[in-house]
């Protein structure tokens, strides 16, 4: 596997090295390609990402990404959106499940769902007209884009409870009628049970009865918001991993950003980054290594080695060492 490693900015520089130590401890054959992107690069060179960087990312099988700080430039185009588009990673996958000994805001452990978010169109199409008094953003919903995300969600659902929830706002936005119709057809063709919810009521229901949901498929912005909200169920942004998947490439990153408020203090929770590595290993077919990583994370949480966001007093590096030591003890 040829793996691009992008630490990015802020806490990305603290949590990705932990994930890389874990990858090294697993002893897999991986060619690591460091790539510098983000605000730090923008300050130095005026560009947060170059065409050459995109080519390097394209030459790799997948990317492990930290987070980047958005530069304070009104003309700045999102690096993440560029990468998702250039590498055509149309599916954003965010599994939401409880972790051992971690209390989410509702203190419940009976939920296990996955948000499958369309990643290339919707309100993040990037087609915008910015005026002094009126600014517009075009919301794109295509039949092809909706069908491929629905196919992905159905494939995932078939390996789980075969239950698909289609989230939309078609009562107000006609574009979502197309999304809903296409998702329903794809679910029927795949023999996956489906139902649908309006996004506002879904936000409520995910907090009141999260145990009811299995695979949730939705458009770009709705998926972004619902998944950050769901992070609170699981116990915080520092825990949640994500994957961006395309036909050829894949990109794995914690859901959180560069957390400038705690960057440099050595206290960022590395678990979201480590579980992103776990998703990467699963995607690459290293299922045994992925299970060991998950076990090691559970071990660190159960033994109380945790960062301050989870009420602990351990540092990022201490959590990393606990996970690495567990993995080493298993491979001896
Ligand atoms: P954020 O996710 O960086 O931080 C939100 C809150 O969660 C903060 O209080 C932070 O301390 C906490 N937090 C985040 N990660 C944590 C971790 N690993 N351990 C413990 N606590 C953690 O979101 P925010 O503050 O809105 O954005 C900061 C910067 O990051 C912005 O420039 C934003 O544009 C960028 N960003 C980048 C993303 C990416 O690269 N994928 C995603 C989200 C935001
Ligand atoms: Mg987000």
């Amino acid at each position: 596997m040829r793996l691009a490693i992008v630490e990015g900015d802020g806490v990305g520089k603290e949590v990705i090295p932990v994930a890389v130590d874990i990858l090294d401890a697993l002893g897999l054959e991986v060619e690591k390609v460091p790539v510098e992107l983000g605000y730090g690069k923008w300050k130095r060179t005026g560009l947060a990402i170059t065409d050459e960087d995109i080519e390097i990312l394209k030459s790799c099988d997948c990317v492990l990404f930290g987070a980047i700080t958005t530069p304070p430039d009104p003309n700045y185009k999102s690096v993440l959106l560029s990468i998702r588009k250039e590498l055509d990673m149309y599916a954003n996958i965010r599994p939401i499940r409880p972790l051992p000994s971690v209390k989410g805001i509702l203190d419940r452990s009976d939920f296990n769902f996955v948000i499958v978010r369309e990643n290339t169109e919707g309100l993040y199409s990037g087609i915008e007209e910015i005026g002094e008094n009126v600014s517009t953003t075009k919301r794109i919903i295509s039949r092809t884009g909706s069908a491929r995300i629905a196919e992905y969600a159905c494939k995932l659902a078939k390996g789980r409870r075969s239950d698909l929830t289609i989230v939309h706002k078609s009562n107000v936005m006609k574009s979502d009628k197309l999304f809903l119709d296409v998702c329903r057809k794809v679910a029927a063709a795949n023999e996956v049970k489906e139902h649908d919810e309006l996004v506002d009521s879904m936000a409520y229901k995910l907090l009141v009865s999260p145990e009811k949901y299995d695979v949730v498929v939705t458009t770009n912005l709705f998926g972004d918001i619902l998944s950050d909200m769901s992070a609170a169920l699981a116990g915080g942004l520092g825990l949640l991993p994500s994957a961006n998947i395309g036909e050829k490439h894949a990109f794995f990153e914690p859901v959180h950003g560069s957390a400038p408020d705690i960057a440099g203090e050595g206290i960022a929770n590395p678990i979201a980054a480590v579980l992103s590595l776990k998703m990467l290993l699963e995607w690459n077919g290293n299922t045994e290594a992925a299970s060991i990583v998950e076990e090691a994370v559970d071990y660190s949480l159960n033994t109380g080695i945790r960062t301050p966001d989870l009420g602990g007093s351990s540092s990022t590096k201490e959590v990393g060492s606990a996970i690495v030591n567990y993995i080493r003890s298993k491979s001896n």
Side-chain angles (χ1 to χ4, degrees):
M1 169 175 41
R2 186 170 147 88
L3 170 66
I5 296 176
V6 181
E7 292 181 355
D9 303 304
V11 297
K13 291 193 183 301
E14 298 165 43
V15 296
I16 293 301
V18 168
V20 171
D21 283 349
I22 291 164
L23 183 64
D24 292 343
L26 289 165
L28 301 169
E29 245 185 60
V30 178
E31 184 194 347
K32 290 178 285 182
V33 182
V35 183
E36 189 204 356
L37 305 177
Y39 184 38
K41 180 170 183 146
W42 180 85
K43 277 199 284 197
R44 244 182 352 93
T45 67
L47 288 172
I49 187 168
T50 62
D51 291 346
E52 197 192 346
D53 295 328
I54 298 261
E55 287 313 311
I56 296 173
L57 297 182
K58 280 184 176 165
S59 75
C60 293
D61 298 301
C62 57
V63 185
L64 182 62
F65 186 94
I68 57 177
T69 303
T70 306
D73 172 2
N75 297 317
Y76 168 76
K77 278 211 153 186
S78 164
V79 163
L80 274 173
L81 290 194
S82 308
I83 297 176
R84 284 174 186 158
K85 278 203 169 159
E86 288 284 341
L87 276 65
D88 198 25
M89 292 180 300
Y90 63 91
N92 187 308
I93 314 301
R94 295 185 176 183
I96 315 283
R97 66 176 181 97
L99 285 165
S101 337
V102 175
K103 284 189 178 174
I105 43 159
L106 300 177
D107 191 15
R108 53 192 294 174
S109 55
D110 56 349
F111 57 91
N112 184 342
F113 59 93
V114 183
I115 297 183
V116 177
R117 157 185 164 200
E118 202 294 319
N119 219 15
T120 56
E121 44 188 44
L123 259 174
Y124 294 180
S125 66
I127 305 174
E128 308 198 292
E129 268 179 47
I130 307 303
E132 200 173 326
N133 298 313
V134 179
S135 291
T136 52
T137 299
K138 208 168 214 173
R139 185 171 193 267
I140 307 283
I141 302 289
S142 72
R143 184 171 294 280
T144 319
S146 304
R148 67 178 180 171
I149 196 69
E151 287 287 352
Y152 191 96
C154 286
K155 201 169 110 202
L156 192 65
K158 280 179 158 176
R160 297 172 51 100
R161 280 158 41 203
S162 196
D163 184 334
L164 183 72
T165 308
I166 307 161
V167 177
H168 61 97
K169 188 76 183 172
S170 68
N171 56 338
V172 176
M173 293 189 292
K174 297 239 178 0
S175 52
D176 257 8
K177 182 79 173 65
L178 177 62
F179 182 74
L180 176 59
D181 289 347
V182 172
C183 288
R184 278 184 174 148
K185 279 197 189 113
V186 171
N190 280 282
E191 296 178 353
V192 168
K193 190 173 85 189
E194 57 77 11
H195 41 105
D196 69 280
E197 295 284 356
L198 294 171
V199 64
D200 40 357
S201 111
M202 184 67 179
Y204 174 78
K205 287 179 180 170
L206 271 180
L207 291 185
V208 173
S209 43
E211 79 287 356
K212 287 196 180 143
Y213 299 98
D214 181 23
V215 175
V216 176
V217 67
T218 190
T219 53
N220 212 336
L221 172 68
F222 296 164
D224 196 5
I225 296 171
L226 290 181
S227 51
D228 271 27
M229 184 196 79
S230 302
L233 278 175
L237 278 173
L239 295 170
L240 280 198
S242 77
N244 296 268
I245 312 264
E247 300 296 343
K248 289 199 199 129
H249 302 280
F251 177 105
F252 300 85
E253 56 166 337
V255 166
H256 64 74
S258 60
D261 53 340
I262 56 165
E265 291 180 34
I267 54 163
N269 192 338
I271 289 180
V274 174
L275 292 177
S276 301
L277 171 69
K278 183 207 132 193
M279 291 181 85
L280 184 158
L281 294 167
E282 274 170 353
W283 172 84
N284 196 48
N286 304 106
T287 39
E288 210 174 302
S291 308
I292 296 172
V293 171
E294 181 164 7
E295 249 178 60
V297 167
D298 289 357
Y299 164 81
S300 76
L301 288 169
N302 281 328
T303 47
I305 304 167
R306 44 176 79 191
T307 43
D309 55 309
L310 298 179
S313 56
S314 303
S315 66
T316 312
K317 284 188 176 156
E318 283 164 346
V319 174
S321 300
I323 297 173
V324 165
N325 290 339
Y326 181 92
I327 292 170
R328 290 217 175 103
S329 75
K330 289 288 152 180
S331 46
N332 282 336

